[in-house]
Amino acid sequence: MRIEALVAEGVRNLRPLQLSPRERFNVFVGDNGQGKTNLLEAIYVVAALRSFRTAKLTDLIAFGASSARLGARVLKHDLTRVYEVELAPGSRKVRLDGKAVRPLSRYFGAFNVVVFTPEDLSLPRGSPGDRRRFLDRSVFNLEPGYLSTASDYDKVLRTRNTVLKQAGQGIVGGHKLDELLAVYDAQLAELAVAMVAARVKLLETLGPELVTAFAAITRTGLTAGARYVSKLVGASAPAIEAMLREGRARDLATQSTHLGPHRDDVVLELEGREAGSFASQGQLRAIMLAWKTAELLVLGRAHDDPPILLLDDVSSELDPSRNEFLFEHLATLAGQCFITTTHGSHVLLHRERADYRIQAGEILQ
């Protein structure tokens, strides 16, 4: 699988671009703030219809522009498909091969992209919310239908929290309040079961490869792992409904929902202990590097095709030995690669490589 052509217009600081990337390694060199990450974000949005940087896709629209347009022509197994996204305030138009996509799930599954950013390296010591988003990106790559489930869950959660706030303001109460919460509890419970199951499945699939990759990176004999932390693992929808009812008084008091996948966490471990609490900075970065190695291997196996890799200036954050591992292993497990860096020498690749320079949002060859 590879992108044969990429177009973007009205996207952040990027000048209108028409790019025909190389089949393997595309290296984009530029100083900070020139648009390197914006380019990778554009590719990711075309593939996933969401950003790895912001929850609002309209944030991609350039200052002074009324809309943003992105598109990619993708070749996979001798079949070429055209993916297009147009963003405007309050509007998102999606086309596949020139036609509107209904249902939206038809858009996903054949254009798999994995992104690795410097922020990912700090996740073991980061917030649970950041780790959940990181985990969900991996789940979505393995199960494209997960995006719809997670989106539906977020909508129901927001509505339930609105009802809780209205109750606190005295707008709704009594029997009507109980009826509304019962409806949203049932909907949340069903969606929570699906989300938790998908997250657990991803970690079960990824786990053995994570152990192997970490051993190869560090050669210390230590074992790394990832553990899903949730009260809902194995719980049925009726059981989750019961938990929500039991916690209703607390939810009403705080005007927020305290139980659900939105409160869960994935803990990165070293020797069975929480890595963020005691592992060294180098060990933490090795764990995240091992995760991405494992993810690329799992996705390549699941989809019978290596995913496209977006590597955003990660090499400058790694020591020389781990940087060498990065390019020896990640690049061989990925298909086409888009790599950004402040210095081309950080990218330890010498064959099948094309170098570009990014300056003030313009890509120069």
Side-chain angles (χ1 to χ4, degrees), residues 250-272:
R250 181 185 180 189
D251 289 353
L252 286 167
T254 60
Q255 300 179 18
S256 63
T257 303
H258 286 79
L259 179 78
H262 65 290
R263 296 284 183 146
D264 293 347
D265 196 0
V266 56
V267 174
L268 287 306
E269 296 183 328
L270 186 62
E271 291 292 287

Side-chain angles (χ1 to χ4, degrees), residues 69 162 184 205 225 275 293 310 316 321:
R69 185 174 67 90
T162 297
Y184 297 131
T205 305
T293 303
L310 310 179
S316 63
S321 63

Side-chain angles (χ1 to χ4, degrees), residues 50 52 83 98 102 104 138 140 145-146 150 163 169 171 179 189 197 222 237 248 263 297 301 328 349-350 361:
R50 56 183 181 146
F52 58 85
Y83 298 80
R102 296 186 184 88
L104 194 59
S138 298
F140 167 73
Y146 179 78
V163 171
Q169 297 164 357
I171 298 173
E179 283 185 343
L222 302 178
R248 188 170 294 178
R263 296 284 183 146
L297 187 60
R301 187 183 301 147
E328 281 184 2
L349 298 167
H350 306 290

